[in-house]
Amino acid sequence: MKIKDIRALRGPNYWSIRRPKLIQMTIDLEEMEEKPTNTMPGFRERLEQLIPSLYEHRCSEGVPGGFFQRVDEGTWMGHVIEHVALELQTLAGMDTGFGRTRGTGKPGEYHVVFDYMEEEAGIRAARMAVETVQAVIDQQEISLEPFIQELREIREKTRLGPSTGCIVDEAAKRGIPFIRLNKYSLVQLGYGVNQKRIRATIASTTSSIAVDIAGDKEDTKDLLEAAQIPVPTGKIVRDEEDLQSAIKKIGYPIVLKPISGNHGKGATTNIINWEQAVKALAEAKVYGRSVICEKFITGFDFRVLVINNKFVCAALRTPASVTGDGVHTIEWLVNETNKDPRRGYGHEKVLTQIKLDSFTQKMLDDKGYSLDTIPAEGELVLLKPTANLSTGGTSTDVTDEVHPSNIFMCERISKIIGLDICGIDIMAPNLRLPITENGGAVLEVNAAPGFRMHIEPSEGIGRNVAEPVVDMLFPQGSNGQIPIIAITGTNGKTTTTRLTAHIAKAAGYKVGFTTSDGVYIQNQLMMKGDCTGPVSAQFVLKDPTVDFAVLECARGGLLKAGLAFQQCDIAVVTNISEDHIGLGGISTIEQMAKVKAVVPETVKKNGFAILNADDDLVYEMRKNLHCNIALFSMNEHNPRIQKHSKQGGFSAVYENGYVTIMKGAWKIRVEKVANIPITYGGKATHNIMNTLPAILATYLYRNITVEDIRQSLQTFTPSPNQTPGRLNLFEFKHFKFLVDYAHNPAGMQLLCDFVEKMDGTPKVGVISGTGDRRDEDIREIGRISSRYFDEIIIRQDKNLRGRSAEEIVKLLVEGINENKEKKIPVTIIYNEREAIMHAYNTVKPGSLITIMCDVVAEALDLIKELKEKEDKE
């Protein structure tokens, strides 16, 4: 078996709208295509012995053991690999369950699709699953534990931490979208101008000066002490002389910790003699020149969480420890403690397993213990210097026990330091009494406090501490979103996108839009090239200046990675025709329609899907949608439009020379087609068609008026600036150049319909075929060209996409030669620039030269250069 491709889908996709995170592996079963599971003696038994938990997989049978029933009946190895990939992830603490295995259309080749929680782990699980199944087939010994541990480690390395993760989850519950901005904990919540950012539990609203103050223990202590907050007496020391002076003033026991340290690094507590103090000073100075020496406060370690200057919760923290039984060693006790089912690897469970490391060794050394020491019965042996849950510590919720005086003090501390999210460390006998009365003290104030101890305490009630964070960032009524209009289809997407963006901009919005020629932010080109995939869409959604997004969504991006957004407000489907058939596992036009249907299926319940009522495949999409439907048609008498109007629906039609919006049976005539430049007075029929969904989409957004739309239609021209490569007409003194990006038979037919209506004789076509299209599609380009052009120049794209130039030319010529009615001169010039220059140098007066351009910008630049040269003569 051979893996041919593995890709991670990250948004709504061909396989599932509700499960955006999917791995799609393309695998060739090779000789195993002829060997289903029921033809392989002992296969089921070996697989069940290796992974007994597969019994829980219900598969299509819908009952436990359903998958093994399918194995007994006979299923193919792609299906088995799907289930093994899912179970490997589940065994590694990533609960997954959705999968599909479907043929690609090629014998023995399958798409194996399954969901994942962490992308890197999902990709690795795909490869592991193939290796595992191959081992079962070959009857080779294989251990899954190394695979499972590797997946656990990948999970811990790549997942959002519990603090960041719970905030993201809370935001998602409220419909607030998010984008992970790096591989760590920097996350964007919301889109465009309405976005907020978090990094762990620091928010974009958090004061940087407050974070700086909290990071300096001396400054923090000085501010709190000046505000009459009880803090341990202490002094900054830099050498042994300073240390000796401080001890004389403070007295033992003391604590030494670096001024700018965190997570307990370099800190030593309960120092009771000079030898320990000197050693602790050296360890603290590893992390900074200045060290704080404080009185060691006896009591318990509490963490109080304050968000938006309001008390949220409190926890009692206990460092990782074991209790002696007078019989067993410390190492044995640790191993027994780690058998607690609540303890797991990293953050996978409520508690983390205790790891014996250098910190543990130091703690034991300070007591004169080793791992072989047998502590007395009932003796508590601390194994870590701090009570972090990530190192095996435990937490107990004490929120309901905190005295009002302590709540007031903590809320006041958050304002004194200036932190909107802060964790306050208190050492005290308890928090039931004011710490001013029981001898407690505030030890530290932490920016970016961990939330895990509060959301999953070892004992007590878990607290939804993410809720007040999201409340603070997004007050009631806001969800961080901006309007998104998504446009898909076969032809007309770019023109519709540009016109929609132009209307929104004219209405006062700061628009970001993506097209097949680039990404634009407020009409400034930011990225060049085909930018119709999810990366380009995210570029727009990340931009903090954008308050309106118009996103062209093409087939390629949908199949490779899915959509960049979970939901949109309005979706447009222009049309479906036979382009890109045979690519990416899409073999029929019906499958292509399913790909394009992903976009309208993401429309919000109260949004609109705008469908072409003249296209059967597009109109059929309405049956699977859960949003409002709006239609457009070039014929106001289309029965589908009439039925929709009688039901009170919205539509846009071309009638009596107008583009018109219909609200039920009422007509709102927006503008005469004669006054819309991109229609060339109505000759460019396909641009009338492209105008209809654009005016309907912007009208349905409600905040854009008919007058805004009308003025925009009048000012949107088929120029290289506004619609590059879309019916750009250059009028020279004695002939005309027409530049268009038509690249498939349907687009070519629309272009030629327009050319036929244009003045100019002879009509010269500079054409090409796209290498990754079907033979029949390339021939059809030739056939169409032969019906409308008097002379043809065949050029080639820069990227031949898997074919030779000679093969493409041969297919085009075959199509041209099928026209027996006239003999058409054909010239073959591979280079696009040279082909254009040949047309220019051999032009006959009165000619109309039509160019199917490949690299739009280069073609336009050349023709503009020729025009400027002529104008100077």
Side-chain angles (χ1 to χ4, degrees):
M1 297 183 293
K2 182 170 67 177
I3 297 172
K4 302 189 75 172
D5 179 61
I6 299 178
R7 61 184 57 171
L9 307 177
R10 305 178 187 94
N13 56 74
Y14 179 75
W15 303 101
S16 178
I17 301 300
R18 294 185 295 109
R19 298 176 181 87
K21 296 170 68 171
L22 296 176
I23 298 297
Q24 177 183 304
M25 174 170 61
T26 305
I27 187 167
D28 186 347
L29 296 186
E30 298 179 322
E31 71 277 4
M32 297 310 300
E33 172 66 3
E34 305 301 324
K35 297 180 181 179
T37 54
N38 63 340
T39 66
M40 303 181 66
F43 178 84
R44 182 257 170 90
E45 290 75 16
R46 293 192 298 276
L47 182 63
E48 187 170 12
Q49 183 179 11
L50 181 65
I51 318 176
S53 51
L54 281 173
Y55 182 80
E56 298 302 322
H57 289 216
R58 296 169 174 261
C59 204
S60 56
E61 304 303 319
V63 294
F67 168 65
F68 281 126
Q69 186 177 332
R70 290 288 307 279
V71 171
D72 290 337
E73 293 169 353
T75 188
W76 272 258
M77 288 303 160
H79 183 209
V80 177
I81 288 167
E82 168 204 322
H83 280 268
V84 171
L86 289 168
E87 189 60 20
L88 286 173
Q89 293 181 89
T90 298
L91 292 172
M94 294 170 283
D95 194 14
T96 54
F98 173 82
R100 293 285 185 273
T101 300
R102 299 289 185 269
T104 67
K106 296 180 181 179
E109 189 175 279
Y110 294 85
H111 289 314
V112 178
V113 179
F114 56 89
D115 61 347
Y116 66 88
M117 290 181 67
E118 301 302 324
E119 182 177 314
E120 188 179 332
I123 291 171
R124 185 71 183 99
R127 297 189 182 278
M128 289 175 173
V130 174
E131 187 176 340
T132 300
V133 173
Q134 188 67 60
V136 176
I137 292 169
D138 297 339
Q139 302 185 43
Q140 294 178 346
E141 290 293 324
I142 186 170
S143 172
L144 295 188
E145 190 51 43
F147 283 170
I148 294 167
Q149 182 58 27
E150 182 183 345
L151 290 175
R152 286 189 185 119
E153 291 172 4
I154 292 172
R155 179 200 70 206
E156 290 305 302
K157 181 182 74 174
T158 58
R159 75 190 300 189
L160 290 172
S163 300
T164 314
C166 74
I167 297 172
V168 169
D169 290 344
E170 179 66 26
K173 287 178 189 174
R174 305 186 190 192
I176 299 168
F178 68 92
I179 301 173
R180 192 168 180 177
L181 298 177
N182 65 10
K183 62 181 181 180
Y184 303 109
S185 57
L186 183 62
V187 178
Q188 174 183 316
L189 302 176
Y191 290 149
V193 295
N194 295 325
Q195 68 179 267
K196 305 290 184 189
R197 291 179 182 173
I198 57 170
R199 186 170 62 190
T201 58
I202 293 179
S204 49
T205 56
T206 303
S207 161
S208 59
I209 191 171
V211 173
D212 190 54
I213 290 169
D216 188 310
K217 293 178 174 60
E218 184 179 18
D219 284 350
T220 300
K221 185 176 178 180
D222 289 346
L223 285 172
L224 296 182
E225 194 170 25
Q228 296 299 304
I229 303 294
V231 295
T233 54
K235 186 178 178 183
I236 302 302
V237 301
R238 293 183 175 84
D239 51 36
E240 290 185 16
E241 185 179 344
D242 289 346
L243 178 60
Q244 195 168 40
S245 173
I247 292 172
K248 283 182 180 179
K249 180 179 178 181
I250 299 169
Y252 292 114
I254 61 167
V255 175
L256 286 175
K257 53 188 175 181
I259 264 192
S260 55
N262 54 45
H263 302 299
K265 292 177 182 176
T268 305
T269 62
N270 199 19
I271 299 166
I272 59 174
N273 58 50
W274 177 248
E275 183 181 355
Q276 290 179 352
V278 171
K279 184 179 179 182
L281 177 64
E283 290 171 355
K285 291 189 71 174
V286 170
Y287 298 93
R289 180 168 171 265
S290 299
V291 176
I292 191 164
C293 176
E294 290 180 341
K295 185 71 174 177
F296 177 66
I297 305 295
T298 57
F300 295 99
D301 183 355
F302 294 96
R303 165 65 64 83
V304 176
L305 184 64
V306 179
I307 297 173
N308 203 19
N309 306 126
K310 297 291 183 184
F311 168 80
V312 173
C313 57
L316 166 65
R317 305 187 298 173
T318 305
S321 61
V322 292
T323 302
D325 60 4
V327 176
H328 295 99
T329 66
I330 291 173
E331 186 172 18
W332 187 92
L333 293 169
V334 169
N335 290 336
E336 281 299 299
T337 301
N338 282 338
K339 291 178 182 177
D340 184 338
R342 296 179 300 163
R343 290 190 182 270
Y345 182 83
H347 298 309
E348 70 180 352
K349 295 184 179 178
V350 173
L351 297 174
T352 299
Q353 290 188 342
I354 300 171
K355 184 179 178 181
L356 300 174
D357 56 16
S358 58
F359 290 104
T360 308
Q361 194 59 54
K362 179 180 179 299
M363 297 288 291
L364 296 178
D365 288 346
D366 289 346
K367 290 178 68 70
Y369 285 3
S370 73
L371 292 174
D372 294 326
T373 299
I374 298 175
E377 185 175 358
E379 180 184 355
L380 183 69
V381 180
L382 298 180
L383 301 171
K384 304 290 178 184
T386 60
N388 292 333
L389 269 65
S390 59
T391 60
T394 61
S395 66
T396 303
D397 179 74
V398 295
T399 302
D400 298 330
E401 300 177 9
V402 182
H403 193 279
S405 176
N406 291 330
I407 292 175
F408 171 74
M409 177 193 69
C410 291
E411 292 179 345
R412 185 164 168 257
I413 287 171
S414 72
K415 292 186 177 182
I416 291 167
I417 303 302
L419 287 172
D420 55 3
I421 303 173
C422 72
I424 300 165
D425 292 342
I426 298 173
M427 188 68 74
N430 59 67
L431 295 182
R432 290 188 294 272
L433 295 175
I435 67 169
T436 52
E437 296 178 10
N438 65 12
V442 174
L443 304 183
E444 290 184 15
V445 179
N446 300 275
F451 283 0
R452 186 183 175 201
M453 70 184 78
H454 305 296
I455 58 178
E456 291 184 322
S458 315
E459 297 179 34
I461 300 172
R463 306 287 175 171
N464 182 6
V465 296
E467 183 177 32
V469 174
V470 178
D471 287 342
M472 176 183 73
L473 297 176
F474 299 95
Q476 191 171 9
S478 71
N479 59 13
Q481 298 193 20
I482 60 173
I484 297 176
I485 297 179
I487 297 168
T488 193
T490 301
N491 291 305
K493 298 187 298 295
T494 297
T495 299
T496 304
T497 297
R498 284 182 167 276
L499 178 54
T500 303
H502 180 71
I503 295 169
K505 180 177 180 294
Y509 289 99
K510 297 179 175 64
V511 184
F513 63 98
T514 64
T515 70
S516 56
D517 54 74
V519 176
Y520 296 80
I521 303 295
Q522 298 183 55
N523 274 9
Q524 298 292 312
L525 179 62
M526 298 293 164
M527 296 169 64
K528 287 184 179 180
D530 187 347
C531 297
T532 56
V535 173
S536 304
Q538 276 203 353
F539 184 95
V540 169
L541 299 174
K542 288 177 184 177
D543 193 288
T545 68
V546 170
D547 61 10
F548 199 109
V550 184
L551 307 174
E552 180 178 345
C553 304
R555 166 208 65 92
L558 274 165
L559 290 174
K560 288 176 184 175
L563 291 173
F565 49 87
Q566 300 298 317
Q567 290 186 307
C568 62
D569 297 276
I570 295 174
V572 172
V573 186
T574 58
N575 47 68
I576 303 292
S577 63
E578 290 189 328
D579 191 22
H580 297 99
I581 302 299
L583 300 176
I586 304 303
S587 305
T588 67
I589 192 170
E590 288 77 17
Q591 288 179 317
M592 184 61 72
K594 183 181 175 184
V595 174
K596 305 288 187 179
V598 171
V599 178
E601 286 173 10
T602 66
V603 176
K604 297 172 184 174
K605 189 175 181 179
N606 61 347
F608 282 87
I610 299 176
L611 306 178
N612 185 347
D614 298 334
D615 187 307
D616 293 345
L617 288 171
V618 175
Y619 183 68
E620 194 71 10
M621 292 178 186
R622 76 195 190 286
K623 294 180 179 179
N624 294 321
L625 302 182
H626 304 284
C627 62
N628 298 305
I629 306 295
L631 302 175
F632 67 96
S633 172
M634 291 292 288
N635 176 15
E636 69 168 319
H637 302 297
N638 182 324
R640 294 166 176 171
I641 293 291
Q642 292 180 330
K643 179 181 177 182
H644 189 66
S645 296
K646 286 179 181 177
Q647 294 172 345
F650 288 92
S651 58
V653 296
Y654 174 47
E655 54 88 26
N656 294 311
Y658 285 87
V659 288
T660 298
I661 292 171
M662 298 184 67
K663 296 174 65 175
W666 296 100
K667 292 181 178 178
I668 303 172
R669 285 182 168 171
V670 179
E671 183 56 284
K672 285 184 178 179
V673 165
N675 296 333
I676 303 174
I678 62 165
T679 71
Y680 284 91
K683 294 177 182 176
T685 308
H686 61 290
N687 271 348
I688 302 175
M689 192 184 307
N690 294 333
T691 299
L692 294 174
I695 65 172
L696 188 54
T698 47
Y699 177 78
L700 290 174
Y701 184 61
R702 307 292 191 191
N703 294 340
I704 297 176
T705 67
V706 172
E707 187 55 36
D708 289 330
I709 298 170
R710 181 178 296 115
Q711 291 182 5
S712 300
L713 294 179
Q714 295 169 0
T715 57
F716 189 70
T717 62
S719 65
N721 289 332
Q722 288 190 310
T723 58
R726 273 71 182 175
L727 294 191
N728 302 148
L729 186 65
F730 296 84
E731 298 197 27
F732 286 71
K733 291 178 181 177
H734 304 296
F735 67 95
K736 299 173 184 175
F737 262 125
L738 178 66
V739 180
D740 196 84
Y741 186 61
H743 58 282
N744 57 51
M748 188 67 175
Q749 185 63 60
L750 292 170
L751 172 62
C752 287
D753 288 343
F754 172 68
V755 168
E756 186 179 36
K757 299 171 187 174
M758 296 289 287
D759 295 331
T761 304
K763 290 182 168 64
V764 180
V766 181
I767 71 168
S768 67
T770 306
D772 60 1
R773 303 310 199 267
R774 298 175 302 178
D775 291 359
E776 183 58 25
D777 296 331
I778 299 174
R779 287 193 193 95
E780 185 63 15
I781 294 285
R783 291 188 196 104
I784 295 168
S785 300
S786 71
R787 294 198 294 268
Y788 294 92
F789 295 122
D790 303 307
E791 300 174 24
I792 294 175
I793 301 169
I794 298 178
R795 62 157 191 83
Q796 290 301 312
D797 291 351
K798 281 188 174 182
N799 182 356
L800 297 178
R801 305 191 187 199
R803 291 188 192 257
S804 67
E806 292 77 13
E807 186 180 2
I808 295 172
V809 169
K810 178 176 177 291
L811 292 168
L812 287 169
V813 171
E814 286 176 3
I816 293 168
N817 289 340
E818 287 183 24
N819 188 337
K820 305 300 183 184
E821 296 181 5
K822 61 180 179 178
K823 183 67 176 175
I824 303 168
V826 176
T827 305
I828 300 170
I829 302 174
Y830 288 162
N831 181 272
E832 182 172 75
R833 182 183 180 89
E834 292 175 8
I836 294 172
M837 288 305 300
H838 175 79
Y840 176 77
N841 291 327
T842 60
V843 67
K844 297 180 179 67
S847 295
L848 172 62
I849 303 170
T850 300
I851 303 166
M852 287 176 65
C853 57
D854 173 24
V855 184
V856 173
E858 291 180 10
L860 291 174
D861 286 345
L862 174 58
I863 295 170
K864 285 190 282 188
E865 182 183 316
L866 295 173
K867 184 71 172 70
E868 289 170 4
K869 180 181 176 182
E870 180 185 81
D871 291 343
K872 290 178 181 178
E873 293 176 353

